[in-house]
Amino acid sequence: MNTKSRHKLVFVYNADSGLFNTVTDVAHKIISPRTYSCDLCSLTHGYFKVRDTWVKFLQAIDVECEFLHRDELFEKYAIADVDLPQIYKNINGKLESWISKNEIEPLSSVDELIAFIKQKLAETK
C-alpha cells in the first residue's frame, strides 16, 4: 500500500483556470508554441490531454500532489506576483518554493522534468 509522505508538492501553472482559458491556451500552443508562457504545461501536457508518462510518474511517486492555476494559487494561498510556473512544497499548509521557473524553463521534455523531480526528492529524503 502506497502511503503518501506528510508534505505535498504543489504544481502551479502560469495560466488561469476555466474553460475559456483552456481553449485559449490550446490554441496558443498550436499556433505559436514558442511564445506560450507556461513551460510546465508544455512539458506535462500535449495539446488536448496530460502526457501518459507524466500520469504514470505521478501515480508512482510517494508524494501527494496538488495542481493549481495562477488564479487558484491566489485564491487558496493568497500568493500573487511570483514567477510562474513553479513547484512548491506544502509543509503544514505553508508553501515554500521547491523548483523555480528558472529551473523548469531549460527542461526540454517531460522525461527531463521527471528526472529533475526525482533528483530533488532524493536530495530531500
Side-chain angles (χ1 to χ4, degrees):
M1 182 152 106
N2 197 10
T3 56
K4 300 285 182 179
S5 64
R6 288 188 323 209
H7 65 268
K8 172 172 40 174
L9 296 181
V10 180
F11 297 78
V12 183
Y13 298 105
N14 190 27
D16 288 323
S17 62
L19 180 59
F20 176 77
N21 293 313
T22 300
V23 171
T24 303
D25 285 347
V26 168
H28 192 162
K29 281 198 261 187
I30 292 170
I31 295 167
S32 185
R34 283 194 198 118
T35 63
Y36 186 65
S37 64
C38 185
D39 294 314
L40 185 57
C41 294
S42 296
L43 294 171
T44 61
H45 290 70
Y47 295 128
F48 302 108
K49 68 179 193 125
V50 179
R51 297 184 195 282
D52 292 337
T53 304
W54 182 241
V55 171
K56 288 176 186 168
F57 166 70
L58 293 173
Q59 291 170 341
I61 62 172
D62 187 31
V63 179
E64 185 179 346
C65 297
E66 178 179 14
F67 299 89
L68 299 173
H69 294 90
R70 177 178 43 225
D71 57 321
E72 296 165 326
L73 176 66
F74 180 75
E75 289 170 13
K76 186 162 185 180
Y77 295 101
I79 296 174
D81 298 324
V82 292
D83 285 333
L84 296 175
Q86 191 162 168
I87 303 170
Y88 292 91
K89 194 182 268 190
N90 180 331
I91 302 172
N92 300 320
K94 183 176 183 223
L95 294 190
E96 297 177 8
S97 180
W98 191 62
I99 298 177
S100 71
K101 174 186 178 177
N102 292 336
E103 293 171 302
I104 295 170
E105 199 169 69
L107 302 175
S108 62
S109 71
V110 70
D111 292 326
E112 284 185 13
L113 175 62
I114 289 169
F116 191 72
I117 291 171
K118 284 180 178 179
Q119 176 188 342
K120 293 278 288 186
L121 287 170
E123 291 171 3
T124 59
K125 284 190 177 182

